[in-house]
Amino acid sequence: MQLYSYPDPSTWPALQQRPAAAEAPQVAARVRAIFEQVRAGGDAALLTLAAELDKATLASLLISEAEFAAAATLVPADLQAAIRQAKTNIEAFHAAQREPELRVETMPGVVCSRRAVPVQRVGLYVPGGSAPLFSTLLMLGVPARLAGCPEVVVCTPPQADGSVSPVILFVAQLLGIDKVVKAGGAQAVAALALGTATVPAVDKIFGPGNRYVTAAKQLAAAEFGVAIDMPAGPSEVLIIADASANPAFVAADLLSQAEHGPDSQVVVLSDSSAVLEQVQAEVARQLALLPRRDVAAQALESSRAILLPDANSMLEFSNQYAPEHLILATDNADALAAQVTNAGSVFLGHLTPEAVGDYASGTNHTLPTSGYARQYSGVSLDSFVKKITFQRLSAQGLQVIGPVVETMAEAEGLAAHARAVTLRLAALNSSASPAAAVTLANPYAGLIRPSVERMQPYSSARDEFEGMAPVMLDANENSLGSVGPDDFSRYPDPHQRAIKADLARLKGVAPNQIFLGNGSDEAIDLLVRLTCTPGQDSIVICPPTYGMYEVAANLNDVRVERLPLNADFQLPPDAAEKLAASNAKLVFLCSPNNPTGNLLAQEAIETILRNFRGLVVVDEAYADFADAPSWITRLAEFPRLVVMQTFSKAWGLAGLRLGVAYASAQLIAYLDKIKPPYNISAATQQHALAALAAAPQLPEMRAELLDGRRWLVEKLAQLAIVEHIFPSDANFLLVRFTVDATGVYDQLRSRGIVVRNRTTQPGCAGCLRLTVGTAEENVQLVQALTEIGAEQSSVAASHIQ
Ligand SMILES: NC(=O)c1ccc[n+]([C@@H]2O[C@H](COP(=O)([O-])OP(=O)(O)OC[C@H]3O[C@@H](n4cnc5c(N)ncnc54)[C@H](O)[C@@H]3O)[C@@H](O)[C@H]2O)c1
Ligand SMILES: N[C@H](CO)Cc1c[nH]c[nH+]1
Ligand SMILES: [Zn+2]
């Protein structure tokens, strides 16, 4: 190792020259000739070059199954354990480098995203000229596997006896790599770039190697359209060792890289001449102990010990040198590390030998040499993926960004570019309405919560195995049966296929247009969660209406916009216009409405469907009592229409908690994606199936309830305390009283009759909601109201006296 004292900075570039640089032209010429030979001769050329350069006579280029099988038995247990530990650490550090998909809405409706996609065919070079570096296979194979590269081929030079180190084969098996080729040097790189009968051409070549391997990779990248990780040639280390450094540690680290090969280079910088002297003495002492002392000694000939005035100049020298490895052998390592601008990998403090990075700390040891650390990073998970960007425009997005692009394209004189936008804008603008424009683009563009689009749904045991087998041990159920009289020990069908098949026949839709929920409330909640990002989005409700819409919104931190019904509980004339201007994600329209009982006018809903960009949810919980076609019949026409129905009302199954949402198959698939896996219990499914089988009973029951409604209307109209009975298309009546409605409510309750007090609802002052009961219950209700009326009038009379 030559010593330099306070060299003038003008001489630094000469001191920073790598030994291999001098012979680069000859090496490049040799490598080009080898490429030619492989192109012309394919596998035969590989066999010839193995004989010539590796002194190996090969029967076959590929590692055979027998060679793989023998490998593990030849690797001692302690080495196997050490390799497994290193693999775990490398996996941990590289798995943490995974990045979630990036998604940014640059303008309203202009969504850009970026996703990492693995390089499909990768070639890994594992050096083996002077020492088989099985650790390199860990460094390349682990990230290749984590990235998900489908095709992985390994090349490594054969030993003179034609074998490949069993440890390399052991690691290959650990990583699930079965294609290992006995080829080294430039010929291996040429084969990976060009392809031969045995070696598949790959998209990207990875791995370190000597000057021939490195030059071959550079040629492959420059002329053969193959990507490479980086130039990773002969190993090198630069150590900044101040007065706090331990000379023995420093010497050991220098030798650890010098022993790689004669063209390795090691450099030590210090601001203490005493330390440099001691380091040199230690190098000489330790060198003599090394088995590879000849190799290391050659490397030391082109290595340097340099005395510099202070830490700043040491850092400046190091940043100019851009070492593959930088060791900061100082108490002040963290402060110096902050100023490092060029290095492959940095080792901090006195207790961090470079060798830990070579094998097992978790960082990658495939690193840029020869000063390439100025512009390249070492291998990482990123090296094995491409980041593909995506963009999607909604109709709104096209409208806002279109003019920007048209202007720029015209300014560049690229008329076809501008036209690609103009044509689409014209199509949007000629559409009948904003909602039609959205439909033209994508009916759900901008409507589905981005996190829902991205997430993976839960996959239940019953998703993975359908039906029954003699032995079912997949879902941690209780195979002994159930406590109690009935057997519910098995999870129910998560997709409720049987019910959906029956319901689809009954309603004239496809089974995949049906979502079943734990009551309609589950569908309401999931629709809010499907579309609204908490703290950001809003829904529209039309009060007075069913209270759960607002509760679901509040629960999900979603803003509620109100579009009140007018005095006769119909949508206001400007409803569609207001909704067209709203950015809300969905509007709930309850028809027949609860608590008012009336159907919302069909034309008003239709206008909203044509103009609103969000989902239009028509809640038909009471539709069985109405004399109007269901909105289910219009689903094909309006992809953003969702119709909710329930088994709780006309079907008389409120205790089962079974609600239904009908929509396009695409929208239902989204609901299925986010629902709890077993949201409909086995008991509910059984009962619902039985009810569906008895569907012919439904009209009779409905008719009886409608008779009861007519009878109640007739009787209530005769009571003096009843001011108005609102027309009802449901199984209840909203009734306004001439007297204090809350007083009437209390008096009914004291007579054992519970009705719903709606006096506080917008537009419902003085109103109670009365459910149509059995004939007898209806009689009791009218009787009680008659008595209450009589009491009220006698009290009024006593006040007059
Ligand atoms: N930068 C890094 O990340 C990193 C990591 C590990 C190893 N390394 C370096 O990898 C290198 C490994 O070198 P190696 O030689 O031991 O193994 P190697 O596998 O890189 O090279 C061996 C091959 O070189 C070819 N070769 C040798 N002499 C030749 C000649 N005269 N003409 C044409 N081809 C010739 C042969 O085909 C042989 O198979 C070392 O320099 C080591 O420092 C670098
Ligand atoms: N130091 C080498 C990178 O330059 C990697 C290595 C492998 N085995 C030992 N060392
Ligand atoms: Zn090393």
Side-chain angles (χ1 to χ4, degrees):
M1 248 185 142
Q2 246 190 293
L3 175 71
Y4 299 83
S5 291
Y6 305 117
D8 187 84
S10 64
T11 65
W12 288 5
L15 297 179
Q16 289 159 354
Q17 282 288 313
R18 272 49 172 201
E23 289 166 41
Q26 297 91 301
V27 171
R30 177 80 176 106
V31 162
R32 188 174 286 280
I34 291 175
F35 264 64
E36 233 356 277
Q37 200 176 340
V38 172
R39 187 175 21 202
D43 283 351
L46 294 181
L47 294 172
T48 308
L49 287 161
E52 185 188 322
L53 297 168
D54 303 310
K55 310 283 171 271
T57 308
L58 302 178
S60 157
L61 286 167
L62 267 189
I63 293 292
S64 67
E65 278 182 27
E67 285 170 294
F68 272 127
T73 61
L74 299 170
V75 181
D78 58 345
L79 178 54
Q80 291 196 14
I83 287 171
R84 285 180 207 280
Q85 182 62 63
K87 177 170 174 277
T88 302
N89 296 359
I90 298 162
E91 274 168 352
F93 188 62
H94 288 74
Q97 293 165 19
R98 284 199 181 109
E99 284 173 20
E101 186 180 326
L102 184 75
R103 230 182 126 85
V104 176
E105 191 166 6
T106 53
M107 292 176 90
V110 180
V111 177
C112 301
S113 56
R114 194 178 74 161
R115 185 155 50 86
V117 175
V119 179
Q120 299 294 292
R121 306 174 303 170
V122 297
L124 313 184
Y125 185 81
V126 177
S130 74
L133 301 187
F134 61 83
S135 56
T136 298
L137 186 49
L138 280 177
M139 295 295 171
L140 302 176
V142 165
R145 282 292 175 234
L146 286 173
C149 301
E151 195 175 334
V152 181
V153 49
V154 171
C155 284
T156 191
Q159 295 169 355
D161 64 358
S163 72
V164 159
S165 154
V167 196
I168 290 180
L169 302 185
F170 169 74
V171 173
Q173 289 175 95
L174 212 54
L175 295 167
I177 296 171
D178 57 8
K179 192 155 202 141
V180 179
V181 182
K182 296 177 188 178
Q187 59 274 25
V189 176
L192 290 168
L194 303 167
T196 70
T198 302
V199 186
V202 297
D203 302 314
K204 189 165 181 178
I205 301 172
F206 297 77
N210 62 17
R211 57 179 83 178
Y212 296 98
V213 173
T214 308
K217 277 169 62 187
Q218 287 172 305
L219 181 64
E223 294 185 24
F224 295 93
V226 186
I228 61 165
D229 47 2
M230 90 215 80
S235 301
E236 55 196 37
V237 64
L238 183 146
I239 306 180
I240 292 181
D242 66 9
S244 69
N246 179 324
F249 293 177
V250 174
D253 289 335
L254 291 169
L255 288 168
S256 76
Q257 295 313 288
E259 77 172 347
H260 269 293
D263 44 10
S264 279
Q265 188 178 61
V266 301
V267 178
V268 55
L269 310 180
S270 185
D271 53 0
S272 156
S273 54
V275 165
L276 283 188
E277 262 171 44
Q278 290 164 38
V279 167
Q280 283 186 300
E282 268 298 323
V283 166
R285 192 183 66 78
Q286 293 184 28
L287 177 66
L289 308 173
L290 292 177
R292 289 169 68 95
R293 55 182 165 273
D294 292 346
V295 173
Q298 286 180 62
L300 287 173
E301 279 171 26
S302 48
S303 296
R304 313 172 194 312
I306 304 175
L307 184 64
L308 289 168
D310 50 31
N312 278 346
S313 38
M314 290 193 280
L315 264 170
E316 201 182 330
F317 186 99
S318 174
N319 282 333
Q320 279 182 21
Y321 182 79
E324 181 196 11
H325 304 109
L326 168 63
I327 301 180
L328 297 176
T330 152
D331 289 342
N332 209 15
D334 288 335
L336 292 195
Q339 297 175 59
V340 172
T341 53
N342 297 323
S345 196
V346 183
F347 300 77
L348 304 174
H350 304 297
L351 295 180
T352 318
E354 189 278 336
V356 296
D358 281 351
Y359 292 108
S361 62
T363 60
N364 207 290
H365 84 201
T366 310
L367 297 166
T369 56
S370 306
Y372 282 107
R374 270 190 287 275
Q375 52 275 105
Y376 286 99
S377 319
V379 161
S380 70
L381 193 68
D382 262 5
S383 316
F384 289 87
V385 297
K386 297 131 352 186
K387 306 269 174 76
I388 302 182
T389 56
F390 302 81
Q391 49 254 284
R392 180 191 280 283
L393 269 59
S394 67
Q396 188 192 11
L398 183 63
Q399 261 146 358
V400 292
I401 205 172
V404 175
V405 175
E406 283 174 319
T407 307
M408 293 174 77
E410 276 154 20
E412 286 194 345
L414 299 177
H417 287 63
R419 193 172 171 71
V421 172
T422 310
L423 277 180
R424 287 178 169 83
L425 279 174
L428 281 189
N429 293 335
S430 69
S431 308
S433 66
V438 173
T439 308
L440 190 74
N442 164 11
Y444 311 115
L447 274 188
I448 306 302
R449 223 166 119 182
S451 59
V452 171
E453 291 278 19
R454 282 194 302 272
M455 67 177 257
Q456 281 298 318
Y458 178 76
S459 173
S460 71
R462 292 294 169 268
D463 281 314
E464 280 154 30
F465 181 86
E466 229 182 276
M468 290 297 282
V471 181
M472 296 287 291
L473 299 177
D474 59 340
N476 300 343
E477 295 149 331
N478 186 339
S479 298
L480 304 184
S482 307
V483 176
D486 299 311
D487 185 6
F488 287 111
S489 59
R490 298 292 172 188
Y491 283 108
D493 173 9
H495 305 295
Q496 309 103 20
R497 294 177 184 84
I499 303 179
K500 285 181 184 172
D502 283 3
L503 208 48
R505 268 192 297 278
L506 193 69
K507 299 286 179 177
V509 296
N512 63 3
Q513 288 186 276
I514 303 174
F515 169 82
L516 294 177
N518 183 357
S520 295
D521 297 338
E522 183 172 34
I524 293 168
D525 179 57
L526 290 182
L527 283 164
V528 171
R529 285 202 262 167
L530 174 66
T531 53
C532 298
T533 299
Q536 181 181 309
D537 291 323
S538 59
I539 64 159
V540 179
I541 62 168
C542 303
T545 193
Y546 181 43
M548 276 309 289
Y549 311 140
E550 186 164 2
V551 170
N554 290 340
L555 180 64
N556 290 296
D557 192 16
V558 163
R559 200 159 39 80
V560 174
E561 293 174 26
R562 286 165 212 284
L563 183 62
L565 298 178
N566 59 21
D568 60 355
F569 299 132
Q570 285 297 334
L571 289 157
D574 61 355
E577 199 184 317
K578 284 192 167 146
L579 282 165
S582 166
N583 278 328
K585 290 298 170 75
L586 52 86
V587 56
F588 283 106
L589 302 175
C590 192
S591 181
N593 188 33
N594 174 13
T596 61
N598 60 299
L599 281 166
L600 299 179
Q602 184 203 314
E603 311 77 59
I605 295 181
E606 196 163 322
T607 318
I608 288 173
L609 278 162
R610 295 196 189 285
N611 287 278
F612 182 48
R613 289 183 296 268
L615 295 186
V616 178
V617 184
V618 180
D619 186 346
E620 292 188 341
Y622 299 97
D624 291 309
F625 304 105
D627 204 8
S630 164
W631 279 96
I632 291 178
T633 55
R634 312 290 299 275
L635 283 173
E637 228 176 305
F638 300 111
R640 290 190 307 286
L641 169 64
V642 181
V643 181
M644 294 200 312
Q645 294 189 351
T646 179
F647 280 79
S648 296
K649 309 299 176 184
W651 287 84
L653 296 169
L656 283 192
R657 310 308 305 125
L658 189 58
V660 194
Y662 301 92
S664 73
Q666 197 182 341
L667 205 53
I668 294 299
Y670 279 120
L671 288 173
D672 285 340
K673 182 178 184 186
I674 62 172
K675 80 178 181 72
Y678 303 113
N679 61 330
I680 307 299
S681 76
T684 298
Q685 294 196 37
Q686 284 169 20
H687 280 278
L689 277 174
L692 282 163
Q697 292 173 18
L698 190 66
E700 199 181 316
M701 206 181 222
R702 173 182 181 269
E704 194 175 334
L705 288 166
L706 291 183
D707 280 349
R709 186 176 80 192
R710 267 189 295 276
W711 184 86
L712 270 178
V713 170
E714 190 187 316
K715 297 298 172 195
L716 292 172
Q718 295 165 16
L719 300 179
I721 56 169
V722 170
E723 181 186 309
H724 185 62
I725 305 162
F726 290 88
S728 173
D729 300 292
N731 67 336
F732 59 83
L733 295 168
L734 186 71
V735 178
R736 178 166 285 141
F737 289 83
T738 54
V739 294
D740 171 31
T742 301
V744 175
Y745 169 84
D746 290 339
Q747 290 185 54
L748 282 173
R749 216 174 59 169
S750 67
R751 285 170 163 82
I753 298 173
V754 181
V755 296
R756 199 82 197 268
N757 188 349
R758 299 283 79 181
T759 50
T760 56
Q761 293 284 300
C764 299
C767 292
L768 300 182
R769 195 189 70 190
L770 313 175
T771 305
V772 177
T774 62
E776 197 181 320
E777 287 170 336
N778 296 339
V779 168
Q780 282 182 39
L781 174 65
V782 170
Q783 179 68 38
L785 286 171
T786 308
E787 288 168 16
I788 293 164
E791 281 167 20
Q792 293 276 339
S793 51
S794 69
V795 171
S798 69
H799 279 307
I800 292 167
Q801 283 162 9

